[in-house]
Amino acid sequence: MLRGPDSIKGLTLIEIIFVVMLLGIITIIAIPRFRSDFSTKQRVNSEAQEIASNIRYTRRLAVNDIDATRYIIRFFDATNEYGIYRNSVNIANLVDDFIPIPPEITASGERRIRYYPQGNCDLMDSGVIDISAGGHSYTITVQTATGRVRVIEN
Protein backbone atom coordinates (compact mmCIF):
# COMPACT_ATOMS: atom_id res chain seq x y z
CA MET A 1 0.00 0.00 0.00
CA LEU A 2 1.49 3.33 -1.02
CA ARG A 3 1.33 6.34 1.23
CA GLY A 4 0.56 9.78 -0.03
CA PRO A 5 2.35 13.01 0.91
CA ASP A 6 -0.27 13.81 3.57
CA SER A 7 0.43 10.65 5.61
CA ILE A 8 4.13 11.36 6.30
CA LYS A 9 4.59 12.87 9.75
CA GLY A 10 7.63 14.72 11.13
CA LEU A 11 8.87 17.97 12.62
CA THR A 12 9.25 21.20 10.75
CA LEU A 13 12.50 23.16 10.82
CA ILE A 14 10.86 25.86 12.96
CA GLU A 15 9.86 23.28 15.61
CA ILE A 16 13.38 21.84 15.76
CA ILE A 17 14.94 25.32 16.10
CA PHE A 18 12.46 26.18 18.88
CA VAL A 19 13.33 23.01 20.86
CA VAL A 20 17.09 23.61 20.47
CA MET A 21 16.71 27.22 21.64
CA LEU A 22 14.64 26.12 24.65
CA LEU A 23 17.29 23.55 25.65
CA GLY A 24 19.98 26.22 25.29
CA ILE A 25 18.14 28.64 27.58
CA ILE A 26 17.62 25.94 30.23
CA THR A 27 21.31 25.01 30.05
CA ILE A 28 22.42 28.64 30.39
CA ILE A 29 20.33 28.99 33.55
CA ALA A 30 21.26 25.64 35.15
CA ILE A 31 25.06 25.47 34.65
CA PRO A 32 26.07 28.55 36.73
CA ARG A 33 23.93 27.34 39.63
CA PHE A 34 25.52 23.90 39.47
CA ARG A 35 29.04 25.34 39.28
CA SER A 36 28.41 27.68 42.21
CA ASP A 37 27.04 24.86 44.36
CA PHE A 38 29.95 22.57 43.41
CA SER A 39 32.60 25.23 44.11
CA THR A 40 31.06 25.99 47.53
CA LYS A 41 31.20 22.30 48.40
CA GLN A 42 34.85 22.16 47.29
CA ARG A 43 35.76 25.21 49.41
CA VAL A 44 34.10 23.75 52.52
CA ASN A 45 35.76 20.37 51.96
CA SER A 46 39.14 22.02 51.41
CA GLU A 47 38.85 24.05 54.62
CA ALA A 48 37.74 21.00 56.64
CA GLN A 49 40.72 19.02 55.31
CA GLU A 50 43.12 21.89 56.08
CA ILE A 51 41.87 22.23 59.66
CA ALA A 52 42.12 18.44 60.17
CA SER A 53 45.65 18.52 58.74
CA ASN A 54 46.64 21.28 61.19
CA ILE A 55 45.16 19.31 64.09
CA ARG A 56 47.27 16.30 63.02
CA TYR A 57 50.29 18.60 62.72
CA THR A 58 49.71 19.77 66.31
CA ARG A 59 49.71 16.14 67.45
CA ARG A 60 52.98 15.45 65.56
CA LEU A 61 54.61 18.46 67.20
CA ALA A 62 53.61 17.18 70.65
CA VAL A 63 54.91 13.67 69.98
CA ASN A 64 58.21 14.81 68.44
CA ASP A 65 59.16 17.63 70.85
CA ILE A 66 60.81 16.06 73.92
CA ASP A 67 61.14 19.41 75.72
CA ALA A 68 57.47 20.46 75.53
CA THR A 69 54.81 19.21 77.90
CA ARG A 70 52.01 19.74 75.38
CA TYR A 71 50.89 21.46 72.17
CA ILE A 72 47.55 23.18 71.84
CA ILE A 73 45.43 24.18 68.86
CA ARG A 74 42.98 26.93 69.84
CA PHE A 75 40.08 28.27 67.77
CA PHE A 76 38.89 31.87 68.15
CA ASP A 77 35.28 32.64 67.17
CA ALA A 78 35.60 36.42 67.34
CA THR A 79 38.37 36.63 64.75
CA ASN A 80 37.49 33.43 62.81
CA GLU A 81 41.02 32.04 63.06
CA TYR A 82 43.08 29.55 65.02
CA GLY A 83 46.61 29.11 66.28
CA ILE A 84 49.00 26.39 67.43
CA TYR A 85 50.78 26.94 70.75
CA ARG A 86 53.64 25.26 72.61
CA ASN A 87 52.91 24.48 76.29
CA SER A 88 50.23 27.17 76.89
CA VAL A 89 47.89 29.53 75.04
CA ASN A 90 50.02 32.64 75.16
CA ILE A 91 51.01 34.85 72.23
CA ALA A 92 54.68 34.27 73.09
CA ASN A 93 54.15 30.51 72.63
CA LEU A 94 52.48 30.77 69.21
CA VAL A 95 54.25 28.29 66.87
CA ASP A 96 53.38 30.03 63.57
CA ASP A 97 51.09 32.86 62.55
CA PHE A 98 47.37 32.63 63.19
CA ILE A 99 45.57 30.65 60.50
CA PRO A 100 42.46 32.42 59.16
CA ILE A 101 39.22 30.66 58.32
CA PRO A 102 37.55 32.24 55.25
CA PRO A 103 34.65 34.53 56.26
CA GLU A 104 32.08 32.64 54.17
CA ILE A 105 32.83 29.43 56.12
CA THR A 106 31.46 28.81 59.60
CA ALA A 107 33.44 26.73 62.10
CA SER A 108 31.78 25.76 65.36
CA GLY A 109 32.19 23.25 68.15
CA GLU A 110 35.47 22.33 69.87
CA ARG A 111 37.48 25.42 70.81
CA ARG A 112 40.69 23.88 72.15
CA ILE A 113 42.53 20.59 71.67
CA ARG A 114 45.57 19.90 73.86
CA TYR A 115 48.00 17.15 72.75
CA TYR A 116 50.52 15.43 75.02
CA PRO A 117 53.83 13.70 74.11
CA GLN A 118 52.12 10.27 74.11
CA GLY A 119 49.82 11.44 71.28
CA ASN A 120 46.67 11.49 73.38
CA CYS A 121 44.69 14.66 73.94
CA ASP A 122 42.15 16.36 76.13
CA LEU A 123 39.33 18.51 74.87
CA MET A 124 37.54 21.59 76.09
CA ASP A 125 34.20 20.48 74.63
CA SER A 126 33.00 17.45 72.65
CA GLY A 127 35.90 16.89 70.26
CA VAL A 128 33.69 17.75 67.28
CA ILE A 129 34.20 20.68 64.92
CA ASP A 130 31.51 21.48 62.34
CA ILE A 131 32.56 23.28 59.15
CA SER A 132 29.78 24.61 56.90
CA ALA A 133 28.84 27.04 54.13
CA GLY A 134 26.14 27.21 51.48
CA GLY A 135 24.25 24.17 52.72
CA HIS A 136 27.33 21.93 52.74
CA SER A 137 28.89 20.72 55.96
CA TYR A 138 31.67 18.52 57.25
CA THR A 139 32.36 17.27 60.75
CA ILE A 140 35.88 16.87 62.16
CA THR A 141 36.09 14.45 65.09
CA VAL A 142 39.01 13.95 67.47
CA GLN A 143 39.37 10.86 69.68
CA THR A 144 40.89 11.61 73.08
CA ALA A 145 42.68 8.29 73.70
CA THR A 146 44.58 8.21 70.41
CA GLY A 147 44.33 11.75 69.06
CA ARG A 148 42.97 10.35 65.79
CA VAL A 149 41.33 12.96 63.53
CA ARG A 150 38.59 12.17 61.00
CA VAL A 151 36.66 14.30 58.51
CA ILE A 152 33.10 13.20 57.74
CA GLU A 153 30.83 14.73 55.09
CA ASN A 154 27.32 15.40 56.40
Side-chain angles (χ1 to χ4, degrees):
M1 175 185 234
L2 295 174
R3 294 186 174 191
D6 293 334
S7 64
I8 298 175
K9 297 190 179 198
L11 299 173
T12 66
L13 182 59
I14 299 289
E15 291 170 327
I16 292 173
I17 290 173
F18 179 75
V19 168
V20 169
M21 284 177 42
L22 190 61
L23 288 173
I25 291 170
I26 291 171
T27 303
I28 287 171
I29 292 170
I31 285 180
R33 289 184 183 181
F34 176 75
R35 281 186 183 165
S36 173
D37 189 52
F38 183 74
S39 66
T40 300
K41 182 178 180 181
Q42 289 293 76
R43 282 195 311 272
V44 174
N45 180 27
S46 175
E47 190 62 31
Q49 295 296 337
E50 182 178 349
I51 291 171
S53 176
N54 282 320
I55 294 171
R56 291 181 190 108
Y57 173 65
T58 304
R59 181 180 183 276
R60 272 194 309 276
L61 287 172
V63 170
N64 292 332
D65 188 347
I66 58 172
D67 295 328
T69 57
R70 62 186 171 252
Y71 274 83
I72 303 148
I73 185 165
R74 175 79 168 93
F75 294 86
F76 299 97
D77 290 334
T79 55
N80 210 29
E81 63 188 2
Y82 58 97
I84 300 170
Y85 299 88
R86 184 175 191 258
N87 291 325
S88 65
V89 178
N90 181 319
I91 196 70
N93 296 335
L94 189 63
V95 173
D96 289 318
D97 291 333
F98 286 106
I99 304 161
I101 298 171
E104 68 273 7
I105 294 178
T106 303
S108 62
E110 184 65 48
R111 298 292 94 204
R112 184 217 52 182
I113 304 167
R114 188 176 353 194
Y115 279 101
Y116 297 98
Q118 299 83 9
N120 61 325
C121 66
D122 67 21
L123 309 165
M124 181 181 277
D125 297 312
S126 63
V128 174
I129 302 169
D130 293 310
I131 310 296
S132 62
H136 301 286
S137 66
Y138 289 82
T139 299
I140 302 169
T141 60
V142 181
Q143 295 177 343
T144 56
T146 61
R148 181 177 181 210
V149 179
R150 288 184 8 185
V151 178
I152 303 163
E153 182 178 4
N154 298 329

